């Protein structure tokens, strides 16, 4: 019998494609539970990633730090999202960003080589991987368009749509960093949008 964490992962995967029960059972062999305290890192810039994680509970922030020490939030990974540094993982190169737990969090973590073996062993996993890559590409393209085309208010409104309820769980300066604006500008936008 699956634990709640594996049931959660199974449910998310089955929304993508149909997966036979005997294949779902393999998740317990490939993915292992791993807990993170607030402020702990799944990965730091400069490390070569070797794992992929599924967020069962909690939130992770992916962010860059430039030479001056300024942080730039790339994205957030709350529950039911997969998290890793994908390009660095595939290319076996050092990651350029950090992945930090913003809350006490639980992941199901797989060694990437084992995940690749799983995907090669049955067509359903290849279909899952294809769907995940598609979703990642769409998310990346939308993010680029927002940063290039949208004003700050529109970017904030899209953030609220993409990450419902996250604004109450993460620090405002993390959201401002994600939007590419100052915390003061974010405060101003929120006041304008709040109903009287």
């Amino acid at each position: 019998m699956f634990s709640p964490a594996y049931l959660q992962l199974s449910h998310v995967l089955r929304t993508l494609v149909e997966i036979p029960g005997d294949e779902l059972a393999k998740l317990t062999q490939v993915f292992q539970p791993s807990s993170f305290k607030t402020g702990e890192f799944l990965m730091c810039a400069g490390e070569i990633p070797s794992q992929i994680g599924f967020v069962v509970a909690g939130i992770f922030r992916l962010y860059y730090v430039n030479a001056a020490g300024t942080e730039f939030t790339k994205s957030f990974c709350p529950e039911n999202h997969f998290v890793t540094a994908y390009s660095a993982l595939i290319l076996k190169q050092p990651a350029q960003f950090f992945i930090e737990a913003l809350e006490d969090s639980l992941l199901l973590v797989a060694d990437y080589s084992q995940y690749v073996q799983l995907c090669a062993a049955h067509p359903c996993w290849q279909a899952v991987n294809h769907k995940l890559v598609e979703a990642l590409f769409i998310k990346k393209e939308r993010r680029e368009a927002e940063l290039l085309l949208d004003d700050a208010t529109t970017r904030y409104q899209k953030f609220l749509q993409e990450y419902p309820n996250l604004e109450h769980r993460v620090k405002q300066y993390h959201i401002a960093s994600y939007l590419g604006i100052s915390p003061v500008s974010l405060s101003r936008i929120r006041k304008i949008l709040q109903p009287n």
Side-chain angles (χ1 to χ4, degrees), residues 123-173:
C124 72
W125 297 116
Q126 295 164 27
V128 164
N129 204 47
H130 183 74
K131 289 286 188 181
L132 292 174
V133 169
E134 279 184 344
L136 190 67
F137 181 83
I138 291 167
K139 182 178 179 179
K140 178 177 172 59
E141 193 172 82
R142 284 178 176 167
R143 173 83 165 130
E144 289 172 350
E146 287 170 11
L147 290 171
L148 291 170
L149 301 175
D150 293 340
D151 60 32
T153 301
T154 304
R155 288 200 301 275
Y156 177 62
Q157 290 171 320
K158 288 183 177 179
F159 163 80
L160 296 177
Q161 291 172 359
E162 183 175 357
Y163 299 107
N165 302 317
L166 207 65
E167 65 170 329
H168 305 298
R169 296 173 63 187
V170 303
K171 293 181 170 59
Q172 292 303 300
Y173 72 86

Side-chain angles (χ1 to χ4, degrees), residues 40-110:
E40 287 186 339
F41 290 88
L42 173 63
M43 190 195 67
C44 293
E47 296 177 355
I48 298 175
S50 61
Q51 298 177 317
I52 181 170
F54 172 79
V55 185
V56 177
I59 307 170
F60 286 82
R61 179 174 73 111
L62 286 63
Y63 67 95
Y64 298 93
V65 180
N66 68 10
T70 305
E71 296 180 2
F72 299 91
T73 299
K74 177 183 186 295
S75 63
F76 299 97
C77 285
E79 292 84 359
N80 299 325
H81 285 68
F82 285 89
V83 59
T84 190
Y86 289 98
S87 296
L89 186 70
I90 293 166
L91 297 172
K92 297 181 173 61
Q93 294 178 349
Q96 293 183 292
F97 55 84
F98 296 81
I99 303 178
E100 177 190 13
L102 297 183
E103 296 177 348
D104 290 351
S105 301
L106 174 64
L107 291 181
L108 289 175
V109 178

